[in-house]
Amino acid sequence: MRYTFSRYGKNLAKTTDMISTDLGENLRKLHERFADAPDLITTQFLMGETNRPALLVYLDGMVEKPVLHQHILRPLLFQTFAYTDLSNLELSLTGRKTARAWAHAEGAILSGRSVLFVDGEEHCLLLDTQGGPQRSVDEPATETVIKGARLSFVESLGQNVSLIRRYIPHHELKIKELRVGLRSRTKVALLYLGDVANLELVKELEERISRITIDGIVNVGELQELIETHWLTPFPQFMSTERPDSAASQILQGRIVIIVDQSPWVMVAPITLTSFFQSVDDYSMRWMISSFIRLLRFAGFLVSLFLPALYIAALTFHYEIIPLNLILSIGESRERVPIPPFMEAIIMEITLEMLREAGIRLPSKIGQTVGIVGGIVIGQAAVSAGIVSNIMVIVVAVTAIASFIMPNTELAAAVRILRFPMMIVAYMFGIVGIVVGMMVLIIHLLALESLGTPYGSPFAPFLASSWKDNLVRLPIWSFRNRPRSIRVQQEVRQEKHDKSGDEK
Amino acid sequence: MKKSFAYALLSLTLITSGCLGQNRLDELTLVLTFGVDQGKNGEMEIYTAVPVFHKEARKKTELLHTRASTFREGRDRLDNQANGVVETGKVQNILISKRLMMRKGLFDLLDVIYRDPKSALMTDLIVTDDPIEQVMDVDIQDKPRFPVYLRELVRSSHISEASVSTNVRRAYDQFYEKGITPYVTEMKLSENKLKISGTALLDKRGYYVASLDTEESIQLLILQKDTHHPIFMTVQLKGKDVGKKDEESQSISYSIDYTHSSYKTYVEGNQFHFDLHFRYSIVLTELLVQLHPMQDKEKLEKAIASEMKKKMEAVIAKFQKHHLDPIGLGKYARAYAYPQWKQVEDDWGRAFSQAKVRVIPEVRMISIGSLRK
């Protein structure tokens, strides 16, 4: 049976028992519920002058200790006040709620609040004292840019929301909060512009998230796989970013940003293939340079996908297409190599992948060593040892550089994976195989969609007006409309730009 | 279950479909030059130059030799000698001896090449008077590999207007185009060095008829409008009114920087008339006669024009004598006098020999160089 969250909530309210007025009974219940939880701190004390026994419960490490001492324990112990009711307790703390059900109290304790029980009361007080380990806002680690902001998301959802809100301080920035995971109860927030974004997509996304019945998710990638529709594809259907500025820019374009608590990456939907070729820097540099770089990325995409395959095809089938002088130098460098071009290419590409993986996992000091060793392996030494040819070294190097040029690591990973089937078909069928592989890839890209939006847009379906921000990057003033593929409510993003200047 | 069976079947057909006919570059014997000479008993001597990639090998190019009655047979026989599958997709040049060209038509020789879709069409065709064996064995230790060297030789000589350049594809055009007769590059061996010696003219069937030297080849290229400006020329002015600068030299050198040509075609009384107008813009590069380039400008221009007219007419006369039209004036005849052309199209060479060709050059000196006189 499918178990939705609304039902989960209802069940909670029905089945749980209530807090008792007896403090000792409550303490017993607590220890029962939090058996084997040594970090549960229960402090029993007498409140100030009234001498009423009270019990403060919290999880060590989840709370902000100074707040607990300054604003709760100290006033309760030493201040003189007339106790009337739990909800009227004078404490210098903003967030507080009363609760009757054990389930609520338990949830509060688990999320880092502290709970105050007072003898004779059938309520308890939930106090906002969340704290715990947190990281400061740092520079982005992977999506570095030249002229963009130096901020990146952190592991707290609230902080991430505020990072985006700083870019769009507007009341139409809507935040829809959901919870995922029966055990983890991870907070997930959808951010979008209420009067721009396509609300159907928001609804669809909400539905997909609420359908998840997993016990827990720990990062954004898991959520992505749970809500995507095509599982048999190397291409990402959601774009993840760690940059608040790029997330804010996507929201302004009408897209939806998904933030998962405890994850410093956010997801953007819906996206198209061309979104992965855009970088924040494109919009801070001159448009001609950005356009050039963007075209370069497309070229890099094709090169890193097809170059090793072309090498194999040319050397195993179509020697005619190689110019004479090149064929002579290839012949000279291939002469010492005992293995066929296909094996040569596979060995080199796999070596490259291993090096890349090793470089990521290792601490930076050893990483450098790996780089040097790798340079020797995929370098002149391999050639002079007669394992690979000179040309193959160039092919591998160019392929690697071309795949590093892509600003998005997920797309680069997809290309890295697709390179191998391309090499195999090139080995079996030559250029015919490459063409068939390319056709299969294109058909696949056309069939793919991200949250109901065609992945191949603006090439198919053909939207010529969107090319100016997808294939190239024309001046900002020329982007009068938002991307049409998302089907936003407000198409127009800016009025016609007045370019007159000094000579007016 | 059904689905997985289908997948298994599909992958099986993929592997067993016979598409794995690879042609690995390092296992090929890549023929880059073919040489054909006449042999005994109507057979042909076929020589090939194959690049050798082994570091240990002393020679960079290997010469293979076989005897066969046809080109294709020769190639198949080469397989027995070569240490790899013989492939001809990258042939750079075909050397044909003049003796063979007198007995066998070029197009019958090349039939196998046109028929095979994998053969290279940019192959240069070269005719030589010397035995092919000697030509292929020429000493080129200080040069690139023989096929590459030969290719560079032909291309550069074409650019410097020493010879025409005919590759296999253009030869096809020259054969099937009725308004032109074929021509190929001619080469000779002098002092164990290769040298482009001009142009060999073939008749419509592809048999060798006559040769042009490099001087005459320039005229042919100008007539064909296949020149790379500037064209450098030197003429001897032998008129009485031109004073010698010293006892020996009486020459003047110039470069043609620009040529404007227009051919007028018409028929008068059953004869084809071609008026070939040329307007040359020339730059004086060397003046070794007693003439002032500024004051005697017109005189100089006229003298040069008449010299050029003389040379060009001599070349055209040679064509007409041999019933050849390598210029392609037949195409003009077809364009401007179609009814008359239609009657003679199958033997245009003969009709051209009776045509009246007038050369009307006009020379304009646009610069005399950095000297004032």
Side-chain angles (χ1 to χ4, degrees):
Chain A
M1 187 186 142
R2 184 158 268 170
Y3 207 59
T4 64
F5 283 97
S6 51
R7 279 187 203 149
Y8 187 65
K10 272 178 211 158
N11 287 354
L12 268 181
K14 264 185 224 158
T15 54
T16 49
D17 38 5
M18 297 301 161
I19 289 164
S20 143
T21 50
D22 176 28
L23 216 59
E25 169 72 17
N26 284 343
L27 192 60
R28 200 185 53 76
K29 268 260 171 63
L30 267 173
H31 282 298
E32 196 179 284
R33 281 176 177 264
F34 288 89
D36 293 334
D39 53 345
L40 183 82
I41 312 279
T42 51
T43 324
Q44 262 183 306
F45 59 94
L46 295 176
M47 271 206 292
E49 291 175 352
T50 54
N51 272 344
R52 262 184 117 103
L55 174 69
L56 187 68
V57 183
Y58 59 89
L59 281 176
D60 197 18
M62 296 285 284
V63 295
E64 197 86 4
K65 280 274 176 63
V67 175
L68 208 71
H69 293 147
Q70 288 288 328
H71 300 284
I72 301 170
L73 279 178
R74 186 184 288 264
L76 288 181
L77 281 171
F78 305 117
Q79 261 175 34
T80 51
F81 56 88
Y83 180 82
T84 51
D85 190 7
L86 194 62
S87 48
N88 290 334
L89 206 59
E90 285 173 32
L91 289 174
S92 51
L93 204 70
T94 49
R96 57 169 153 177
K97 264 193 300 197
T98 54
R100 283 200 63 193
W102 265 115
H104 288 160
E106 187 188 302
I109 292 169
L110 287 172
S111 66
R113 294 194 177 87
S114 40
V115 178
L116 184 69
F117 298 91
V118 176
D119 194 39
E121 291 279 351
E122 53 182 11
H123 293 92
C124 65
L125 197 61
L126 315 180
L127 299 157
D128 279 3
T129 53
Q130 291 105 318
Q134 248 186 22
R135 188 167 64 93
S136 62
V137 178
D138 259 337
E139 262 191 66
T142 54
E143 287 179 88
T144 44
V145 294
I146 300 167
K147 278 169 103 180
R150 300 256 186 273
L151 294 178
S152 78
F153 286 121
V154 290
E155 279 81 359
S156 135
L157 185 132
Q159 221 164 340
N160 289 350
V161 169
S162 66
L163 276 171
I164 290 180
R165 218 194 254 289
R166 274 165 208 277
Y167 282 98
I168 316 170
H170 193 266
H171 64 272
E172 282 294 347
L173 178 67
K174 305 285 187 201
I175 301 163
K176 202 156 264 182
E177 214 174 271
L178 305 159
R179 280 186 186 265
V180 173
L182 300 179
R183 283 182 200 280
S184 72
R185 310 285 295 141
T186 313
K187 273 194 265 181
V188 173
L190 308 182
L191 275 73
Y192 57 93
L193 286 179
D195 56 346
V196 176
N198 187 338
L199 296 180
E200 276 176 37
L201 296 184
V202 179
K203 217 174 126 201
E204 164 76 22
L205 204 54
E206 239 182 304
E207 252 169 44
R208 282 194 203 174
I209 292 176
S210 61
R211 277 207 300 262
I212 301 171
T213 54
I214 200 166
D215 59 342
I217 58 169
V218 291
N219 67 41
V220 75
E222 293 179 18
L223 183 69
Q224 177 171 341
E225 281 203 14
L226 288 170
I227 61 176
E228 70 187 9
T229 41
H230 301 259
W231 63 274
L232 198 66
T233 172
F235 291 99
Q237 290 146 62
F238 297 88
M239 186 166 73
S240 32
T241 175
E242 55 170 349
R243 303 188 55 90
D245 50 356
S246 106
S249 136
Q250 299 288 5
I251 291 175
L252 286 173
Q253 286 183 45
R255 296 200 169 90
I256 307 162
V257 164
I258 304 156
I259 307 181
V260 175
D261 202 13
Q262 310 302 336
S263 175
W265 289 79
V266 305
M267 276 196 298
V268 181
I271 44 108
T272 59
L273 181 66
T274 51
S275 318
F276 292 100
F277 292 92
Q278 299 170 344
S279 147
V280 197
D281 245 3
D282 292 356
Y283 299 93
S284 49
M285 284 192 286
R286 302 283 309 153
W287 68 271
M288 290 185 208
I289 298 144
S290 308
S291 296
F292 170 69
I293 290 174
R294 202 166 273 180
L295 289 174
L296 212 60
R297 286 185 194 133
F298 281 104
F301 176 75
L302 295 178
V303 165
S304 82
L305 197 53
F306 293 118
L307 188 67
L310 268 177
Y311 171 81
I312 293 169
L315 258 63
T316 40
F317 287 97
H318 319 281
Y319 65 91
E320 294 99 337
I321 64 168
I322 313 172
L324 177 70
N325 291 334
L326 190 59
I327 217 173
L328 291 177
S329 65
I330 290 180
E332 270 165 18
S333 74
R334 282 276 315 155
E335 182 269 317
R336 289 189 59 201
V337 182
I339 47 179
F342 174 68
M343 287 308 292
E344 189 190 9
I346 287 279
I347 288 172
M348 285 305 266
E349 289 294 340
I350 285 183
T351 313
L352 179 78
E353 292 302 321
M354 286 202 282
L355 273 170
R356 190 204 304 249
E357 197 58 23
I360 294 172
R361 304 284 166 248
L362 285 173
S364 62
K365 277 173 194 156
I366 312 175
Q368 276 180 4
T369 322
V370 170
I372 295 165
V373 174
I376 295 166
V377 171
I378 312 185
Q380 206 54 42
V383 175
S384 45
I387 296 169
V388 293
S389 65
N390 281 320
I391 307 288
M392 189 64 230
V393 172
I394 296 169
V395 167
V396 169
V398 170
T399 314
I401 292 167
S403 69
F404 289 141
I405 205 178
M406 266 167 281
N408 189 291
T409 46
E410 284 170 310
L411 185 72
V415 170
R416 270 155 60 194
I417 284 298
L418 286 172
R419 192 183 298 151
F420 290 97
M422 286 296 170
M423 282 156 71
I424 292 169
V425 288
Y427 172 64
M428 295 208 291
F429 308 110
I431 283 184
V432 178
I434 296 182
V435 169
V436 171
M438 197 154 82
M439 275 158 59
V440 169
L441 192 64
I442 289 173
I443 291 169
H444 174 67
L445 282 173
L446 294 184
L448 210 58
E449 50 182 35
S450 155
L451 207 63
T453 304
Y455 207 63
S457 167
F459 302 111
F462 186 82
L463 295 170
S465 62
S466 303
W467 282 35
K468 54 191 177 190
D469 190 25
N470 280 298
L471 192 64
V472 288
R473 205 281 280 173
L474 294 190
I476 304 277
W477 53 258
S478 67
F479 306 148
R480 287 193 55 207
N481 292 339
R482 294 200 163 82
R484 276 179 56 198
S485 56
I486 323 173
R487 307 187 303 279
V488 286
Q489 300 172 48
Q490 281 180 12
E491 283 255 312
V492 180
R493 200 178 164 191
Q494 60 176 330
E495 290 308 316
K496 208 165 167 60
H497 183 66
D498 184 7
K499 286 183 286 298
S500 55
D502 293 341
E503 64 271 13
K504 189 155 51 173
Chain B
M1 183 61 206
K2 224 174 189 177
K3 215 170 174 182
S4 59
F5 181 70
Y7 282 141
L9 205 69
L10 261 176
S11 30
L12 200 69
T13 50
L14 203 67
I15 297 162
T16 54
S17 62
C19 291
L20 294 155
Q22 279 108 342
N23 244 349
R24 269 172 55 190
L25 176 66
D26 32 341
E27 290 174 350
L28 301 180
T29 295
L30 214 55
V31 175
L32 294 184
T33 301
F34 263 117
V36 220
D37 206 340
Q38 191 195 346
K40 286 176 205 143
N41 309 329
E43 283 200 317
M44 297 194 298
E45 308 274 349
I46 296 175
Y47 301 87
T48 57
V50 177
V52 180
F53 296 126
H54 293 277
K55 279 227 169 73
E56 297 81 22
R58 214 158 34 81
K59 272 185 153 181
K60 285 187 287 182
T61 312
E62 183 188 6
L63 290 182
L64 299 175
H65 169 234
T66 186
R67 204 169 277 138
S69 55
T70 70
F71 232 137
R72 180 70 217 197
E73 189 189 1
R75 183 184 148 179
D76 295 338
R77 283 191 186 169
L78 280 174
D79 269 332
N80 309 337
Q81 295 182 33
N83 51 352
V85 186
V86 174
E87 281 291 341
T88 53
K90 214 63 202 165
V91 177
Q92 295 299 308
N93 15 61
I94 297 181
L95 273 164
I96 307 163
S97 82
K98 210 179 258 181
R99 283 186 298 159
L100 188 72
M101 288 280 276
M102 288 177 184
R103 298 185 48 204
K104 271 189 187 337
L106 176 67
F107 302 102
D108 301 330
L109 270 178
L110 298 184
D111 186 87
V112 56
I113 291 177
Y114 295 129
R115 223 166 274 286
D116 182 359
K118 279 196 112 181
S119 49
L121 291 178
M122 297 304 278
T123 309
D124 289 317
L125 296 174
I126 305 161
V127 166
T128 178
D129 207 3
D130 301 295
I132 298 291
E133 193 173 4
Q134 284 178 29
V135 172
M136 300 273 281
D137 209 27
V138 73
D139 176 34
I140 45 158
Q141 281 195 343
D142 50 349
K143 306 243 167 34
R145 291 170 201 272
F146 181 73
V148 182
Y149 170 57
L150 211 55
R151 188 184 66 156
E152 302 297 321
L153 197 66
V154 170
R155 305 244 157 122
S156 75
S157 74
H158 179 233
I159 286 169
S160 60
E161 277 89 28
S163 164
V164 294
S165 150
T166 300
N167 57 34
V168 168
R169 199 180 58 197
R170 250 180 256 151
Y172 186 86
D173 176 55
Q174 290 164 14
F175 180 53
Y176 284 102
E177 165 62 60
K178 284 175 177 164
I180 198 167
T181 55
Y183 47 88
V184 287
T185 314
E186 189 170 339
M187 194 176 67
K188 75 170 178 215
L189 200 61
S190 67
E191 295 162 5
N192 207 17
K193 288 232 160 54
L194 293 177
K195 213 180 127 200
I196 297 297
S197 62
T199 303
L201 303 173
L202 315 179
D203 68 8
K204 205 64 213 172
R205 294 172 303 158
Y207 287 74
Y208 173 82
V209 177
S211 288
L212 298 181
D213 61 17
T214 49
E215 282 278 305
E216 292 167 322
S217 293
I218 298 183
Q219 306 300 332
L220 173 60
L221 287 167
I222 294 175
L223 283 163
Q224 289 178 338
K225 304 182 187 176
D226 183 21
T227 48
H228 301 77
H229 291 96
I231 310 164
F232 293 96
M233 280 189 167
T234 300
V235 291
Q236 306 277 332
L237 294 186
K238 286 193 181 122
K240 271 177 267 157
D241 48 346
V242 180
K244 293 183 182 177
K245 213 161 201 178
D246 52 49
E247 285 308 306
E248 310 226 302
S249 48
Q250 207 179 1
S251 57
I252 171 167
S253 301
Y254 53 89
S255 68
I256 303 171
D257 269 27
Y258 181 72
T259 312
H260 177 269
S261 49
S262 67
Y263 297 172
K264 299 247 156 25
T265 312
Y266 54 92
V267 177
E268 247 178 40
N270 236 349
Q271 192 187 28
F272 285 97
H273 284 249
F274 298 100
D275 289 357
L276 314 180
H277 296 265
F278 294 95
R279 256 206 331 272
Y280 301 105
S281 304
I282 67 166
V283 173
L284 221 50
T285 51
E286 193 177 28
L287 187 69
L288 296 177
V289 289
Q290 288 288 6
L291 283 174
H292 195 280
M294 306 281 264
Q295 286 152 19
D296 303 325
K297 189 170 173 229
E298 276 184 28
K299 198 171 165 188
L300 211 52
E301 286 176 350
K302 280 221 177 87
I304 292 171
S306 80
E307 273 300 315
M308 290 174 78
K309 183 182 161 94
K310 225 187 287 171
K311 278 189 182 172
M312 203 168 267
E313 277 174 345
V315 172
I316 292 171
K318 192 170 185 177
F319 296 156
Q320 289 186 317
K321 184 182 146 209
H322 292 290
H323 296 195
L324 296 173
D325 177 20
I327 311 166
L329 285 175
K331 292 189 245 179
Y332 289 86
R334 179 172 54 208
Y336 292 102
Y338 188 68
Q340 289 85 351
W341 154 263
K342 202 68 193 152
Q343 293 163 19
V344 296
E345 65 170 1
D346 288 328
D347 198 1
W348 169 244
R350 183 177 298 280
F352 178 69
S353 68
Q354 284 145 18
K356 179 124 181 66
V357 184
R358 282 202 302 157
V359 179
I360 305 147
E362 190 184 310
V363 172
R364 211 159 51 86
M365 212 187 296
I366 54 170
S367 165
I368 60 161
S370 327
L371 289 177
R372 291 186 74 187
K373 51 181 180 178

